[in-house]
Amino acid sequence: MAELINIKVNGKNHRVTVDPEMPLLYLLRNNLQLNGPKYGCGIERCGSCMVLLNGKAQPSCVIPGSAAAVYEVTTLEGLSKNNVLDPIQEAFIEEQAAQCGYCTSGMIISAKALLTENKNPTDQEIRQALQRNLCRCGTHTRIISAVQKAAAKMNK
């Protein structure tokens, strides 16, 4: 049975009527038209659905929308402000860190969580932070370079 859920996404409050067990991913994509998070595996193994819940990267494919109502949710769309990209988004573009682009949203969200907690991560820390994200195109070296570049930009 559908319920009214109040949820804060990308700094805006929303009221949506949905099945409380519906995954947050579907709520974001279908009800709020936020298509940054992607459906990949549906079992939190690929990271393409990553969002920030109170600043922590979490897979939205397995979290019920009703459970996410207690968090502030940030999607890829919420990282840019006033049409200015987040330094991580800029770095991904500059380093051409997307091939097919399917994992990119999740990679950027995971990188955002990392760089919020650790302003100067080592290569190993970056790899560990992104290990929940799967990229089958082989752009991992560019992704690592993009996160390093973003860290440098954010530390200026």
Side-chain angles (χ1 to χ4, degrees):
M1 177 176 229
E3 291 181 11
L4 179 64
I5 295 173
N6 294 309
I7 188 167
K8 189 171 187 177
V9 180
N10 297 336
K12 295 180 183 172
N13 293 313
H14 299 274
R15 295 168 54 103
V16 293
T17 302
V18 295
D19 180 332
E21 295 303 314
M22 180 195 321
L24 174 61
L25 174 64
Y26 298 156
L27 186 157
L28 294 170
R29 292 182 60 85
N30 299 340
N31 295 80
L32 302 181
Q33 286 71 52
L34 295 169
N35 296 317
K38 308 286 187 234
Y39 180 85
C41 66
I43 55 172
E44 68 179 296
R45 297 275 189 234
C46 71
S48 62
C49 66
M50 287 289 187
V51 296
L52 296 173
L53 298 181
N54 289 351
K56 305 282 185 195
Q58 296 293 323
S60 62
C61 68
V62 294
I63 298 170
S66 60
V70 298
Y71 298 103
E72 178 154 347
V73 180
T74 304
T75 67
L76 183 69
E77 293 90 343
L79 296 183
S80 62
K81 304 288 183 222
N82 300 321
N83 293 323
V84 177
L85 295 177
D86 184 273
I88 300 169
Q89 293 170 306
E90 289 177 353
F92 268 69
I93 292 169
E94 291 165 5
E95 292 297 315
Q96 299 179 0
Q99 192 165 352
C100 81
Y102 209 80
C103 71
T104 307
S105 171
M107 292 284 189
I108 290 172
I109 290 292
S110 293
K112 181 69 174 180
L114 169 66
L115 295 179
T116 298
E117 289 185 6
N118 182 351
K119 304 271 185 241
N120 195 18
T122 64
D123 284 357
Q124 184 60 34
E125 290 168 329
I126 294 169
R127 291 177 195 281
Q128 186 164 357
L130 300 179
Q131 84 180 74
R132 293 171 69 190
N133 300 82
L134 177 64
C135 172
R136 290 186 264 173
C137 299
T139 58
H140 281 279
T141 54
R142 289 182 179 197
I143 292 168
I144 302 296
S145 295
V147 177
Q148 292 168 331
K149 185 175 228 176
K153 285 182 174 207
M154 295 168 76
N155 287 327
K156 283 186 180 178

